[in-house]
Amino acid sequence: MDKILKGKVALVTGGSRGLGAAIAETLAHLGADIAITYVSSSAKADAVVAKLQAKGAKAVAIQSDQADNAAARPLIEQVTSRFGKLDVLVNNAAIVVKGQTVDDPNLDVEALDRLWQINVMGAIATTRAAAPVLSDGGRIVFIGSLNGTHSLMPGVADYAGSKAALNGYARGIARDLGPRNITVNVVQPGAMPTDMMVEALGSTTAPEAFLDMHPIRRIATLEEVSALVAFLAGPNGAYLTGGVHDVAGGLGI
């Protein structure tokens, strides 16, 4: 495959595991140099960096907690100091908490507030810090969720709301950054075999009733989602902006 991202520098937040790691590997395979963030597991982050370097990429793992808005600017400064620029920002870092209906008397408000802080305010802080230094013609991709446009089951209000907020924010900054030919898009996966799926559904194997909701009766692979992110980050994605793109096997249609 052509190295269509050769010479580009990408930052993938939450890139030490799951979808973030898969995105980082895909972008590196296409020639990009990569920075990933992690919160606690330096061993996992270092393992991802080793895989990226094996693909010929320059790569670095930066410890940065998206729950802390003040960490966003130092993060971007570390990336630009290390690589000299930033071309692609993938806002992937996020959490999910155990689903509860809003009228549950035992609603874990503290956990839900943390969800909003990380999924929305943390992603916004990173984007605000990156926007002034992002290369003209650059790319911003938010990893959303199909729940951002389809609340698929009870108990997802806060998670769905946090992802829906990113959809509106992405459209707004697509307008702001369009004069610099910077594109901004949201990729909305359905279920994937990740730790987050375990937290949401209790297993990396989807229940039969959940699969029955899919016209293509399976969950997404990490590679399928990563491929769309790579397309949006590459030269063929130059005229797609302000969009919300589902990778969910038709779930919700």
Side-chain angles (χ1 to χ4, degrees):
M1 185 178 293
D2 292 340
K3 300 291 187 179
I4 58 173
L5 295 178
K6 187 173 179 59
K8 302 296 185 182
V9 174
L11 168 61
V12 182
T13 64
S16 66
R17 63 190 180 107
L19 179 60
I23 291 170
E25 289 188 44
T26 299
L27 298 181
H29 183 69
L30 295 176
D33 294 325
I34 309 290
I36 63 169
T37 67
Y38 70 98
V39 176
S40 58
S41 180
S42 59
K44 288 183 179 179
D46 290 344
V48 173
V49 167
K51 288 183 179 180
L52 304 180
Q53 291 172 337
K55 294 179 180 293
K58 297 176 183 176
V60 63
I62 300 170
Q63 187 172 27
S64 184
D65 187 353
Q66 193 164 282
D68 178 9
N69 289 356
R73 191 170 299 279
L75 166 62
I76 299 303
E77 289 173 350
Q78 285 189 67
V79 174
T80 56
S81 175
R82 176 66 179 263
F83 295 105
K85 63 173 183 171
L86 176 62
D87 302 295
V88 178
L89 169 62
V90 181
N91 280 306
N92 168 75
I95 64 169
V96 66
V97 301
K98 183 178 178 181
Q100 293 177 278
T101 60
V102 70
D103 59 349
D104 187 332
N106 298 311
L107 194 67
D108 189 345
V109 175
E110 183 176 343
L112 293 171
D113 287 350
R114 177 173 169 79
L115 179 149
W116 281 93
Q117 176 63 29
I118 293 173
N119 291 10
V120 180
M121 296 311 300
I124 288 174
T126 302
T127 304
R128 286 173 174 171
V133 301
L134 196 68
S135 301
D136 290 355
R139 305 282 191 267
I140 299 175
V141 180
F142 291 88
I143 303 302
S145 166
L146 194 67
N147 279 299
T149 48
H150 301 76
S151 292
L152 298 171
M153 58 194 72
V156 300
D158 287 273
Y159 182 70
S162 74
K163 293 302 187 177
L166 293 181
N167 293 347
Y169 186 70
R171 285 192 293 270
I173 62 173
R175 178 72 70 178
D176 291 346
L177 300 178
R180 293 170 52 198
N181 291 318
I182 294 172
T183 68
V184 186
N185 289 280
V186 181
V187 170
Q188 290 197 145
M192 299 173 290
T194 64
D195 293 346
M196 190 173 286
M197 179 176 167
V198 174
E199 292 168 8
L201 297 179
S203 171
T204 54
T205 302
E208 292 297 311
F210 182 66
L211 291 178
D212 288 341
M213 298 165 65
H214 295 69
I216 299 176
R217 197 177 179 278
R218 62 175 177 83
I219 63 174
T221 68
L222 300 181
E223 292 75 18
E224 287 169 328
V225 180
S226 300
L228 179 54
V229 174
F231 176 84
L232 294 170
N236 292 325
Y239 201 57
L240 289 172
T241 196
V244 176
H245 311 278
D246 296 346
V247 190
L251 178 63
I253 63 173

